[in-house]
Amino acid sequence: MTTPRQVAQQQVPARLRVAVAAPLSEGNCARIQELEPRIDLVIDQSLLPPMRWPADFAGDPSWRRTPEQQRAYEAAVDSADALYGIPDVDPAALARTVRANPRLRWVHTMAAGGGSQVRAAGLRADELDRVLFTTSAGVHGQPLAEFAVFGVLAGAKGLPRLNSQQRHREWSGRWTMGQVSEQTVLVLGLGGIGRAVAAKLHALGATVIGTSRRDVTVPGVSTVLPPDRIAEVAPSVDAVVNTLPGTEATEHLLGKRFFDALRPGATLVNVGRGTVVDESALLDALDSGRVGFAALDVFETEPLPAHSPLWDHDHVLVSPHTAALNAAEDRLIAELFAANATRLLDGDSLLNRVNTVEFY
């Protein structure tokens, strides 16, 4: 029996009408159409918020459309076969658009973890069958992998102690620093980001253990185990890097049970999603010394609340969800979108499809 999704995939259009729902520079508009001339871009720059930095797709929060502009914006997204971006990075606006536009067949999200935004839209099963969703996964792999290596190195070299001694002008006796080349690092998730992390750590000489729900072989990874077995290896690892998305299956995967089993003084780096880490359990682990250093780019609640103890903890480095950002990100997302548009127009499967059961 043919499913609605298979029917949608069989109906390949000759051209693709794409409404630009997120900020996109004129140069990247031209780049998309250069790579895939069968796209008809619908864009009005006056309807899109100004970006404050690269990949600032939500734009300046003080910017507002007039009622007339809002009607024009909604008319544009309601007329398209595909959307470049979730309208206003707002799940409610996504749901409105899907229901108002029966011809919509594909939405590309700007985030690597765009599945969480799709889940938050609360779409019905038939709507999830009708519209394909893709993410920008892979675009952020190298910047996040560099931050992960930075975090592992900072933990191995005793960054908290160095910061404290410098702050107090204390010239202590010498001590032995950790060597990443002698460490075992657990990388949670072996998608694009996890593989990039593993490759860089392996190049530094670390022994890398990875997690996957599938039987995979990954260069630079000595052992692959399912996520539900991480507590078994926790006593033998010197550092943990999370690259997993935020799903029901990953929520608080790094919790009390894991931290209690962890080798004392281990480093934690989180470049995946904040919900994977139980922050209350992490704070206990930091206070007890089970975690010697944590480099965190993501948090359970963002922005990180001012009252969070993580701000003031001597063994925590807080990064405001900025580790993925690089000057080339906008162009790379545009190029990924163009490549997927070609696939759609040629009747091929799309890259980075959102799993609309677990939303990753």
Side-chain angles (χ1 to χ4, degrees):
M1 180 177 177
T2 302
T3 67
R5 176 165 291 170
Q6 289 169 328
V7 170
Q9 289 173 327
Q10 291 165 4
Q11 298 170 348
V12 179
R15 298 188 65 82
L16 194 67
R17 181 179 173 87
V18 175
V20 178
L24 182 67
S25 70
E26 295 292 352
N28 283 326
C29 286
R31 181 63 175 153
I32 288 173
Q33 295 192 292
E34 173 191 1
L35 292 171
E36 181 43 79
R38 292 173 291 177
I39 286 178
D40 297 317
L41 279 183
V42 179
I43 181 170
D44 182 340
Q45 295 288 359
S46 70
L47 303 179
L48 301 174
M51 292 198 292
R52 295 159 294 174
W53 48 73
D56 179 28
F57 299 112
D60 185 342
S62 66
W63 182 87
R64 295 286 186 277
R65 297 186 190 94
T66 66
E68 182 180 2
Q69 286 177 319
Q70 185 64 30
R71 287 192 294 272
Y73 178 76
E74 292 180 359
V77 297
D78 292 351
S79 72
D81 303 306
L83 299 183
Y84 184 87
I86 289 177
D88 295 325
V89 200
D90 180 359
L94 173 62
R96 188 216 65 81
T97 306
V98 169
R99 288 161 187 163
N101 182 0
R103 68 184 282 179
L104 185 66
R105 58 187 292 127
W106 170 37
V107 176
H108 182 77
T109 71
M110 301 294 100
S116 62
Q117 297 169 326
V118 178
R119 176 175 57 189
L123 298 172
R124 301 188 306 266
D126 62 303
E127 294 165 339
L128 294 172
D129 278 335
R130 174 168 61 88
V131 182
L132 303 175
F133 297 92
T134 57
T135 75
S136 296
V139 166
H140 315 90
Q142 294 304 322
L144 288 177
E146 287 197 8
F147 183 89
V149 172
F150 159 68
V152 172
L153 282 166
K157 303 307 177 186
L159 181 62
R161 181 174 180 178
L162 291 169
N163 280 337
S164 176
Q165 291 190 182
Q166 180 175 344
R167 187 166 56 249
H168 294 98
R169 301 175 184 267
E170 176 188 349
W171 185 275
S172 71
R174 301 172 69 192
W175 75 88
T176 302
M177 291 184 172
Q179 305 299 308
V180 173
S181 60
E182 299 171 356
Q183 292 193 343
T184 298
V185 183
L186 174 62
V187 177
L188 300 179
L190 292 173
I193 297 168
R195 288 172 182 245
V197 171
K200 292 183 187 301
L201 290 170
H202 175 72
L204 290 173
T207 299
V208 181
I209 299 173
T211 70
S212 176
R213 294 188 298 177
R214 297 178 291 113
D215 184 14
V216 296
T217 300
V218 177
V221 179
S222 63
T223 305
V224 178
L225 69 162
D228 59 6
R229 291 183 54 198
I230 58 174
E232 297 176 24
V233 298
S236 65
V237 303
D238 302 283
V240 183
V241 177
N242 175 55
T243 73
L244 290 169
T247 68
E248 290 183 7
T250 65
E251 185 170 357
H252 287 186
L253 181 65
L254 298 182
K256 177 176 170 52
R257 177 170 174 263
F258 177 79
F259 290 128
D260 284 351
L262 196 59
R263 174 181 288 177
T267 296
L268 172 67
V269 183
N270 194 359
V271 293
R273 279 296 178 264
T275 54
V276 178
V277 176
D278 180 340
E279 290 178 3
S280 177
L282 170 60
L283 282 162
D284 288 342
L286 285 159
D287 290 341
S288 71
R290 283 287 174 182
V291 174
F293 175 69
L296 308 174
D297 185 55
V298 290
F299 302 87
E300 290 192 82
T301 300
E302 295 184 6
L304 182 64
H307 59 77
S308 171
L310 292 170
W311 281 111
D312 298 317
H313 204 290
D314 290 340
H315 290 248
V316 174
L317 178 68
V318 171
S319 169
H321 204 142
T322 195
L325 196 62
N326 76 95
E329 184 172 342
D330 293 347
R331 174 181 58 80
L332 293 173
I333 292 175
E335 291 173 351
L336 173 61
F337 179 83
N340 259 342
T342 298
R343 286 173 169 267
L344 184 66
L345 288 162
D346 290 345
D348 297 327
S349 59
L350 302 189
L351 303 169
N352 296 346
R353 281 274 301 279
V354 171
N355 178 318
T356 53
V357 175
E358 298 187 52
F359 294 97
Y360 67 86

